[in-house]
Amino acid sequence: KTSLKMLAGLFGSQADLQYAEFEPGSDSLPAPAIEKIDLLAKALTERPARQLEIQGEADPEADRNALRQIQFDRQLKAAKLKSMTDRGERALPLEQIVIPDEEKNKMIRKAFAAADFPKPRDEKGELKKLEPPEMEKLLITAIDISDDHLVELAYSRAGVAKYQLVQQGRIDPARLYIVQPLTGDGGDSEKAKTRVQFKVK
């Protein structure tokens, strides 16, 4: 049985080709992951009879927290975009909107005012006066990142890894199989991480 460690050894590499790691909340391949996948492609080229299983993973804590933060940042950018269009300025895609530090608290207040969830009230039933850090915490906590979101992220990571192997590594897609992702505590096995796993067959 050919292991990924043995395949890496063909190129004098100590790299662990069994997995490639992503940043929390992201499905973009960082440079170290690209290097690993490109080395894996070379190894598969040397073993044309071998097939590869690709299993995407999503960490239930790290990825969920990162996805909440990403969504929160989008809420602030949406608030900034509304301010811009209210002033008659040209609308920009959210990705192009930058919020200077000195404007952040103002945008948190706007996002909090626009948010549709029950807000803290005092004994008289009136809205409590909150500071931006408290508003930020409530906004982030209210963002629901479901298990489906994690499954989608894990599948997307597997797809990105497969695309890299096919497009850059010139591996026949018929040799690559995306399998059921891992997104939870995995029962008796280890908890899912922010990565993709590879198994050579």
Side-chain angles (χ1 to χ4, degrees):
K1 186 182 174 184
T2 309
S3 73
L4 288 171
K5 200 164 190 177
M6 285 167 62
L7 287 176
L10 289 174
F11 304 97
S13 171
Q14 296 301 309
D16 186 349
L17 299 185
Q18 292 181 73
Y19 65 90
E21 293 190 3
F22 290 74
E23 292 295 321
S26 172
D27 62 358
S28 296
L29 282 169
I34 290 173
E35 285 174 27
K36 270 192 182 185
I37 291 172
D38 289 350
L39 187 59
L40 179 57
K42 284 182 188 174
L44 288 169
T45 302
E46 291 289 316
R47 293 288 187 274
R50 295 292 176 184
Q51 297 180 330
L52 191 76
E53 282 187 354
I54 306 171
Q55 182 181 47
E57 296 188 36
D59 185 312
E61 291 172 29
D63 279 317
R64 195 171 251 127
N65 290 338
L67 288 170
R68 280 199 183 104
Q69 188 62 48
I70 290 165
Q71 193 59 37
F72 169 70
D73 291 342
R74 287 181 68 82
Q75 287 179 355
L76 296 196
K77 288 180 178 185
K80 167 89 171 173
L81 177 61
K82 186 172 186 309
S83 294
M84 289 165 64
T85 53
D86 285 350
R87 291 196 299 267
E89 295 177 29
R90 184 168 66 89
L92 292 172
L94 285 188
E95 294 72 33
Q96 293 179 23
I97 291 177
V98 177
I99 299 173
D101 287 345
E102 63 271 17
E103 274 189 41
K104 188 178 177 187
N105 283 349
K106 183 181 176 184
M107 292 309 137
I108 289 174
R109 291 182 193 279
K110 282 183 174 291
F112 188 78
D116 184 22
F117 59 81
K119 293 166 186 166
R121 295 180 178 271
D122 60 22
E123 308 81 52
K124 296 178 183 174
E126 294 176 1
L127 286 175
K128 276 188 176 179
K129 284 186 169 57
L130 301 174
E131 291 304 310
E134 297 170 290
M135 293 179 179
E136 178 174 343
K137 193 174 178 184
L138 287 170
L139 280 165
I140 290 174
T141 304
I143 294 167
D144 178 35
I145 303 298
S146 69
D147 290 346
D148 286 346
H149 284 110
L150 295 180
V151 169
E152 191 178 312
L153 177 61
Y155 266 127
S156 185
R157 284 172 172 164
V160 165
K162 181 177 179 179
Y163 182 84
Q164 182 74 11
L165 284 163
V166 172
Q167 294 299 317
Q168 299 302 318
R170 301 286 181 259
I171 302 300
D172 180 355
R175 297 174 62 194
L176 308 172
Y177 297 89
I178 291 177
V179 299
Q180 190 75 16
L182 186 62
T183 59
D185 294 331
D188 297 332
S189 61
E190 60 180 332
K191 185 173 76 106
K193 296 182 171 62
T194 62
R195 66 184 189 183
V196 288
Q197 280 199 72
F198 303 110
K199 287 178 189 155
V200 70
K201 296 289 183 185

